[in-house]
Amino acid sequence: FYYFIRLCLEKILLQCILQSRTLSGADAINALRPFYFAVHPDFFGQHPKEREVNENSLKRLNGYLENLQKPGFRSFKPTQLTFYVREREPNSSNVPESFSASGFRAVSFTLHTRDLLSTVLDILNSCSLSTEHIQSLNVNSQPHKETKSTVNRPIKWDKTYYSFTGFKDPEEELEQAQRVETTLISWLDDNEASAVKKLKKSLPLRKELERLKFELSHQLQLSDIRWQRSWGIAHRCSQLHSLGRLVEQRPEVLKHVKGRTVVFTDRSGMSAAGHIMLGTMDVHHHWTKIFERLPNYYKLQKRLLLLEDRISQLLGGIQVTYIEELQPLVTLEEYYETLDSFYNKLCDSRLPFHPRSLRGLQMILESDRYAPRLHEFGHFTIPTICDPATLQWFIFAKAQEARENLKRKEEMMITEKELIHTSTEKFSLDRLYKDPSVSSAQMIDCCKRLLEESLPYLQGMHLCISHFYSVLQDGDLCIPWNWK
């Protein structure tokens, strides 16, 4: 009798599972269209940190969605994701593409569903996006809708049934899965073997990368070679090989690079920080043009520095600077235009700042903000459209707090560096670093708590402090800074 009941239950359960996956992969992508518009990295070009977080989270989300579509897929682990979601324009809730440029918000959620439809709904609801369009998608993907109401009838058994038969209550299992929170120890237990395997596989490429970087830096007398994004080791080696071939074919065009930093990024040119940008999608012809234009870039850079100095004199000696880690990657020409426009506005307003009254303070210009603010690190973030009178009042009101923040920043940087060194030695890490979107305060908190733990798993590993758990393609371990 019990065997018969169990067969019936398994058959019903199988039907429910099959019918719960009525949303196809193409339907899921179409249903998530408003979500992709809200978080796609291409819309965060002016915000490199948020773009990086969204890129990594989208990779993990796509992996989760792919697994759900695999035949016979059963085992899964709750996946925590963090996205920066663009804010909507007011009164545009019915238009998925209507997003404002005024800002964004961080959204974190955990996926633990076993079917595409539930996953899509969870994602949209977590990001406060409309789900009204899902119903039509779901209906279109079910040609036998008339049979659904009879076959997919919800069956709810009394709790005593599970106690009597020993079968597991699916509702309790779901509640338990939702309550389970990934811990650092459990995650390392599950992912250490995979990370070690990937790391060992990447070691020859890592050595090759270091060799290529050293040889090119020495040959061209470069200050450094960097990458804007977290491309894999193989991708980076390919880019250095490409630069090496250009050196062999056209050595004369690289005579002006001495002492400079080369950055592989999405576009070619010279950055506001004075670094040579080589677009990874560009061919040698484009790179050659950039190297040939370097003397003109250097002249423009001198004019830019003079312009920064003039703005500083008008604003009581406050230093106008470009902070590479906190600002979007813009070209030298774009940054010069921004400074020139801001300088002309200041000249017209003739603000009464006392000479050298604000020496020692710093400010950066941003074109996508509407109100000035004081950063926790002590520098002022000033919108290019800021009203001069508002700017004057804000700087005067916050000057003392800015000096205190600058002093605190220096102390935090020292503490962060010491904790990274101590943590690297204690756990015998090969490397410990942080995602650009992780602040110094978050890194300090993370390292302090790590040092209280015993983690033999980390010996010889590359550990990245980020906002989520992940094993990168070359074996780097990513853990959230606020791990449990």
Side-chain angles (χ1 to χ4, degrees):
F1 173 73
Y2 294 133
Y3 177 74
F4 174 76
I5 291 179
R6 185 161 188 166
L7 281 178
C8 291
L9 282 173
E10 288 179 350
K11 186 176 181 180
I12 292 171
L13 183 61
L14 179 60
Q15 289 176 334
C16 291
I17 291 174
L18 289 174
Q19 291 174 5
S20 69
R21 297 192 183 195
T22 53
L23 207 64
S24 68
D27 284 337
I29 292 175
N30 198 21
L32 287 173
R33 188 167 174 265
F35 167 74
Y36 288 128
F37 267 104
V39 304
H40 199 282
D42 287 351
F43 294 112
F44 288 80
Q46 299 297 312
H47 304 279
K49 297 177 184 178
E50 290 76 10
R51 173 178 178 144
E52 187 93 8
V53 170
N54 283 11
E55 279 181 347
N56 291 324
S57 293
L58 278 175
K59 289 177 186 176
R60 300 174 67 234
L61 172 60
N62 290 337
Y64 190 95
L65 295 175
E66 288 173 6
N67 283 337
L68 289 180
Q69 299 174 67
K70 291 179 181 177
F73 177 74
R74 292 181 180 178
S75 62
F76 79 106
K77 296 173 185 175
T79 300
Q80 184 176 0
L81 299 173
T82 297
F83 285 99
Y84 285 95
V85 182
R86 293 189 296 142
E87 295 286 12
R88 290 181 175 280
E89 293 281 9
N91 304 320
S92 61
S93 57
N94 295 324
V95 186
E97 294 85 349
S98 296
F99 291 91
S100 71
S102 59
F104 42 77
R105 55 193 167 87
V107 174
S108 295
F109 53 90
T110 301
L111 295 179
H112 47 68
T113 46
R114 295 176 183 266
D115 63 273
L116 279 174
L117 180 57
S118 299
T119 302
V120 168
L121 290 172
D122 276 1
I123 293 170
L124 293 174
N125 287 327
S126 298
C127 297
S128 302
L129 297 172
S130 173
T131 59
E132 293 178 1
H133 61 294
I134 300 295
Q135 186 175 0
S136 59
L137 289 171
N138 197 25
V139 170
N140 293 336
S141 64
Q142 297 179 41
H144 304 293
K145 181 185 174 184
E146 62 275 7
T147 63
K148 178 183 174 184
S149 58
T150 57
V151 179
N152 197 25
R153 176 173 54 89
I155 299 176
K156 191 168 184 178
W157 299 89
D158 191 271
K159 299 292 182 182
T160 56
Y161 167 77
Y162 300 105
S163 302
F164 183 74
T165 61
F167 296 157
K168 293 182 178 180
D169 184 348
E171 288 187 359
E172 286 187 3
E173 280 192 307
L174 180 59
E175 290 175 4
Q176 185 177 1
Q178 291 174 343
R179 287 194 301 267
V180 172
E181 186 173 21
T182 303
T183 65
L184 178 61
I185 301 299
S186 65
W187 187 82
L188 289 174
D189 277 336
D190 294 337
N191 293 276
E192 180 201 11
S194 170
V196 169
K197 183 179 179 181
K198 290 181 178 180
L199 181 60
K200 287 183 177 179
K201 186 179 179 181
S202 73
L203 288 178
L205 274 176
R206 290 180 186 271
K207 291 181 180 178
E208 174 72 358
L209 179 66
E210 288 302 314
R211 182 188 68 81
L212 289 169
K213 184 177 178 181
F214 174 80
E215 289 181 356
L216 281 171
S217 296
H218 179 72
Q219 183 178 1
L220 300 175
Q221 300 184 56
L222 296 172
S223 174
D224 194 10
I225 297 178
R226 301 179 192 169
W227 285 265
Q228 180 195 5
R229 296 210 225 154
S230 54
W231 283 297
I233 304 298
H235 196 171
R236 296 187 182 200
C237 285
S238 175
Q239 292 159 359
L240 291 184
H241 278 299
S242 187
L243 179 58
R245 287 193 296 272
L246 179 59
V247 173
E248 292 176 358
Q249 296 166 6
R250 299 288 305 276
E252 74 280 0
V253 301
L254 291 111
K255 58 185 178 181
H256 298 294
V257 301
K258 181 179 179 180
R260 293 285 169 168
T261 293
V262 168
V263 181
F264 289 98
T265 181
D266 295 327
R267 57 202 296 204
S268 296
M270 178 167 279
S271 73
H275 302 326
I276 302 169
M277 302 189 301
L278 299 181
T280 57
M281 300 300 292
D282 292 340
V283 295
H284 283 182
H285 174 68
H286 295 100
W287 289 5
T288 299
K289 283 187 174 182
I290 296 302
F291 289 125
E292 289 174 342
R293 292 175 188 162
L294 286 181
N296 291 331
Y297 279 128
Y298 297 157
K299 291 178 182 177
L300 180 60
Q301 188 179 26
K302 288 182 179 179
R303 290 169 55 195
L304 185 147
L305 294 173
L306 180 61
L307 195 53
E308 285 183 339
D309 187 55
R310 287 176 177 172
I311 294 174
S312 176
Q313 292 175 9
L314 292 174
L315 295 178
I318 189 171
Q319 180 187 1
V320 183
T321 185
Y322 174 85
I323 303 179
E324 190 177 4
E325 297 80 12
L326 300 176
Q327 292 183 258
L329 192 65
V330 296
T331 65
L332 196 67
E333 298 95 327
E334 292 169 341
Y335 188 51
Y336 182 85
E337 289 180 6
T338 299
L339 287 174
D340 188 51
S341 174
F342 187 71
Y343 173 71
N344 290 330
K345 181 184 290 187
L346 289 178
C347 287
D348 293 339
S349 63
R350 298 182 180 180
L351 293 176
F353 280 96
H354 190 278
R356 297 184 296 279
S357 60
L358 298 177
R359 287 186 65 180
L361 297 182
Q362 299 177 348
M363 62 169 278
I364 64 174
L365 285 173
E366 286 195 359
S367 58
D368 58 349
R369 289 191 177 275
Y370 296 91
R373 71 183 182 97
L374 176 62
H375 193 273
E376 61 176 344
F377 280 173
H379 62 267
F380 290 95
T381 300
I382 306 299
T384 53
I385 62 171
C386 185
D387 174 66
T390 302
L391 169 65
Q392 180 186 15
W393 175 86
F394 185 81
I395 291 179
F396 280 149
K398 298 286 185 178
Q400 183 56 36
E401 184 180 349
R403 296 187 190 280
E404 294 171 358
N405 287 4
L406 282 170
K407 184 178 180 181
R408 192 181 306 116
K409 171 192 172 183
E410 295 177 3
E411 297 170 351
M412 287 180 64
M413 298 296 283
I414 294 173
T415 302
E416 180 184 6
K417 187 176 180 180
E418 291 175 347
L419 285 171
I420 290 175
H421 177 72
T422 305
S423 301
T424 302
E425 286 196 336
K426 176 180 178 179
F427 301 115
S428 300
L429 288 163
D430 195 67
R431 185 188 178 202
L432 173 60
Y433 62 104
K434 69 175 183 178
D435 188 90
S437 59
V438 175
S439 68
S440 291
Q442 292 169 337
M443 187 66 172
I444 289 172
D445 176 73
C446 177
C447 289
K448 283 181 176 179
R449 292 190 299 114
L450 279 176
L451 289 170
E452 297 174 357
E453 302 291 327
S454 176
L455 302 169
Y457 319 85
L458 299 180
Q459 185 173 353
M461 301 302 294
H462 291 242
L463 182 64
C464 174
I465 308 304
S466 182
H467 294 276
F468 48 79
Y469 288 104
S470 178
V471 177
L472 302 184
Q473 63 187 34
D474 295 306
D476 294 46
L477 290 166
C478 285
I479 66 170
W481 69 270
N482 56 345
W483 55 269
K484 306 297 182 182

